[in-house]
Amino acid sequence: MTLKLLDTVVLVKELPNSGLQPGDIGAVVALYEPDGVEVEFVSATGKTQALVTLKIADVRSINYHDMLAVRPLNAA
């Protein structure tokens, strides 16, 4: 998978320390060679929930078959 800055991605694993769950949507804010990516996840009101460095395998591109949803945030 090739990612670019500001691409929208979907988290594929749980990150309980960050309050994130699979399916959460974020934006790519940095790319690190060979397989790192920094992603910002925000609440529905635009507040940053988490800024995390992940492996590219931890996210996937958003696609036409995805449905956006809202869930309550758990305190990290």
Side-chain angles (χ1 to χ4, degrees):
M1 169 174 47
T2 302
L3 294 175
K4 301 182 306 285
L5 289 179
L6 303 180
D7 276 356
T8 302
V9 293
V10 179
L11 186 64
V12 298
K13 71 177 199 176
E14 185 175 9
L15 299 175
N17 291 338
S18 299
L20 299 173
Q21 298 178 4
D24 287 347
I25 296 170
V28 174
V29 296
L31 297 166
Y32 306 112
E33 293 294 333
D35 65 348
V37 61
E38 191 159 358
V39 180
E40 181 179 23
F41 294 89
V42 299
S43 70
T45 60
K47 179 179 177 270
T48 298
Q49 169 66 16
L51 182 63
V52 293
T53 302
L54 303 166
K55 294 195 178 288
I56 289 177
D58 297 333
V59 296
R60 66 170 177 80
S61 296
I62 200 163
N63 66 54
Y64 292 105
H65 300 289
D66 289 328
M67 174 63 74
L68 298 181
V70 174
R71 67 172 180 84
L73 289 172
N74 296 326

